Each structure stands twice: as structure tokens, then as C-alpha cells.
């Protein structure tokens, strides 16, 4: 069974729900509509007793982050509530009572990398590329990346990625623990489904309890709340205008620290 929304698609294969992000014209950038579809689909899958594991993947790319054009049109006084809503959807992934596997192909940048970070297991295709390039826009990660990336790859590597905005390939992502494994692009979905099927055969209660316990040990809430406030602060700066205008104008930004 499959359902096609504007920017996402849901396919149910026996006990597995597969969400595919599908907004090719913007490299699968996350806009409001997509966030809403993701939230609604996750709620649907949470309530579906048939479904025991979920896979999130993307058409061609995984996700290039928040939609920069749409974000640029948001008034600074409204950014905090948008950021909070984004957090709600990303947290929903992390708090699902069923395991969520990210099958990452192509770019997973900014909010796209953060979406993958909220999943329980990350598998990358050889072509996958990861990064938190918000600093190039005069911004910081705003969908949980400051908290989840450091927990996964360690503080040193997380700082390097977030301060430089560097983009790393799948092999490096595997070597620092950002992804669990790398598969040939053409075998990515088969591997993700194989893992999902193994999990789906276990007791869903046991899997749910284990996930809850592992997550609850992370004490992430305070940091996430601060991230929302700091993101909103960055959004009021001239540097943010410089960074986003440079991206949209395909130029190099010159940051002045104001
Ligand atoms: N948002 C909007 N449009 C995008 C995005 C994006 N994130 N990424 C790509 N596009 C668009 C491009 O503007 C371009 O459109 P057009 O054809 O109209 O010029 C089209 O997709 C194709 O992109 P490129 O021509 O740039 O393709 P390249 O192959 O040269 O490069 C990249 C692909 C590397 C993905 C490049 O497009 C890029 O760097 N994109 C931006 C990545 C980025 O900075 N992501 C972080 C965004 S900020 C963020 O995610 C913060 C999350 C928290 C938000 C908090 C709440 C507000």
C-alpha cells in the first residue's frame, strides 16, 4: 500500500513503513509542508499496530536541510516558534515507540543531517554526504544538531563539523560513528529493509522499552531548549542576512560579527 503526499511518500510493506522524502527541485529541502507531512505520517505509523519498524529515505538526496528561501522570508520574531515546531517533529522521530532507520543517499545537510541524527540507526549509501553547514549562513544547527551530533561522534569532531561547515563523505561518516554502516547505493534500501525485518520479528514491547531507556539516558532536553533560543538569536544578526543572501546569490559571504 502506498500514499503519495506533496513532498513525501509512504509505502507500507508488511510490518515496515517506508517514508520517502520527495522534493527534487530543492534537493529535498525541508519546508513547512514537508515538516507537516512528516509529523502526520509519523503519527499515523505510530498508531498503526501492524507497523513495527520505520525507514526514512530520500529520492536522490536524503535532505539538504531547512528550505533556505522559505526560512529567509520568516520574520525574526517568528523564527523561534518555527524552530520549536521543527524540534517537535524531529523529537517525534526520536520518541517514536518503534525503531526508525535512516537510509541516507546523497546529501544529508543541516536539518537533513539532524533528521538522520534523530533516527535510531543510520545506514549510508556510498554517495551519501553529511554536514552541518549552517555556519555558512551565519546560523547554527537548529533541529537538534548541537546536541545529537556531539553525543554520536564526540565533542571534538562535532565542533569541527559545526564550526567549519565541512561536508564529509560516507566513509568518513562511518569512521567517526555518524553512520552505522555504508552500503553500495543500489543495495542501500535492501539492507535497510533487511535490518527493519529482523527488528520487526522481535518483541515490539522489548524493542520499545530498550529504545526508551537508551534515549532517556541522554538528558538532551535542556540543550535542545537552549539551541532554539540561540538559533533565534543568530537569526536576528546581520551575519545571517549576509550568509543567506550569499547562498541565494551564489556568492561567498563576508561575516562581520554583527
Ligand atoms: N533550501 C532551499 N533550496 C535549496 C536548498 C535548501 N536547503 N538546497 C538546495 N536548494 C536548491 C538550490 O537553491 C537550487 O535551486 P535553483 O536551481 O533554483 O538555484 C537547487 O536546489 C539545486 O541546488 P544547487 O544548484 O545548489 O546544487 P549543487 O549540486 O551545486 O549543490 C548542495 C547541492 C550542496 C545541497 C547545495 O545546494 C547546498 O549547499 N544547499 C544548502 C545546504 C545547507 O546550507 N543546508 C542547511 C540549511 S539551514 C538548516 O538546515 C537549519 C535547520 C534548522 C532550521 C531551524 C528553524 C528555522
Amino acid at each position: 500500500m502506498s500514499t503519495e503526499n506533496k513532498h513525501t511518500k509512504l509505502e507500507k510493506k508488511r510490518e515496515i513503513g517506508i517514508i520517502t522524502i520527495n522534493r527534487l527541485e530543492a534537493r529535498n529541502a525541508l519546508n513547512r509542508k514537508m515538516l507537516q507531512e512528516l509529523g502526520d505520517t509519523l503519527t499515523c505509523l505510530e498508531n498503526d499496530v501492524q507497523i513495527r519498524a520505520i525507514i526514512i529515505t530520500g529520492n536522490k538526496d536524503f535532505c539538504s536541510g531547512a528550505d533556505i528561501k522559505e526560512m529567509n522570508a520568516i520574520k525574526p520574531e517568528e523564527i523561534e516558534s518555527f524552530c520549536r515546531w521543527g524540534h517537535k517533529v524531529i523529537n517525534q522521530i526520536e520518541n517514536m515507540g518503534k525503531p526508525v532507520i535512516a537510509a541516507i543517499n546523497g546529501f544529508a545537510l543541516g536539518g537533513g543531517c539532524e533528521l538522520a541524527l534523530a533516527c535510531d540507526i543510520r545506514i549510508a549509501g556510498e554517495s551519501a554526504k553529511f554536514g552541518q553547514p549552517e555556519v555558512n549562513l551565519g546560523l547554527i544547527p537548529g533541529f537538534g544538531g548541537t546536541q545529537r551530533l556531539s553525543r554520536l561522534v564526540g565533542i571534538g569532531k562535532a565542533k569541527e563539523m559545526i564550526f567549519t561547515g565541512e561536508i564529509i563523505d560516507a566513509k568518513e561518516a562511518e569512521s567517526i560513528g555518524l553512520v552505522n554502516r555504508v552500503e553500495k547505493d543500489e543495495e542501500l534500501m535492501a539492507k535497510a529493509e533487511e535490518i527493519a525485518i529482523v527488528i520487526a520479528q522481535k518483541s515490539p514491547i522489548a524493542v520499545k522499552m530498550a529504545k526508551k531507556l537508551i534515549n532517556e539516558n541522554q538528558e538532551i532536553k535542556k540543550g535542545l531548549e537552549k539551541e532554539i533560543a540561540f538559533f533565534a538569536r543568530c537569526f536576528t544578526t546581520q551575519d545571517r542576512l549576509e550568509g543567506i543572501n550569499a547562498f541565494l546569490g551564489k556568492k561567498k559571504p563576508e561575516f562581520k560579527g554583527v
Side-chain angles (χ1 to χ4, degrees), residues 66-124:
D67 185 317
I68 298 170
K69 289 171 205 162
E70 189 186 80
M71 194 165 66
N72 202 33
I74 299 177
K75 293 190 189 114
E77 60 271 25
E78 285 165 7
I79 199 71
E80 187 170 326
S81 70
F82 180 61
C83 193
R84 192 172 297 284
W85 180 44
H87 268 240
K88 198 171 153 222
V89 176
I90 301 290
N91 293 345
Q92 193 179 349
I93 298 174
E94 189 167 69
N95 297 326
M96 291 284 287
K98 305 170 187 196
V100 185
I101 299 170
I104 305 147
N105 44 333
F107 285 108
L109 301 179
C113 188
E114 294 172 288
L115 198 156
L117 289 170
C119 296
D120 300 301
I121 296 171
R122 280 155 294 282
I123 306 170

Side-chain angles (χ1 to χ4, degrees), residues 117 145-156 158-159 162:
L117 289 170
T146 60
Q147 306 306 302
R148 294 190 180 99
L149 186 62
S150 48
R151 280 165 173 78
L152 205 57
V153 306
I155 289 174
K159 283 182 177 167
I162 292 171

Side-chain angles (χ1 to χ4, degrees), residues 124-126 128-130 153 157-158 160-161 164 166-182:
E126 281 172 338
K129 293 199 166 48
F130 300 82
V153 306
K157 193 65 204 175
E160 187 183 330
M161 285 180 71
T164 66
E166 71 172 327
I167 292 178
I168 62 171
D169 64 18
K171 249 194 175 158
E172 186 172 354
E174 185 185 29
S175 76
I176 63 171
L178 177 46
V179 300
N180 298 48
R181 62 174 84 204
V182 181

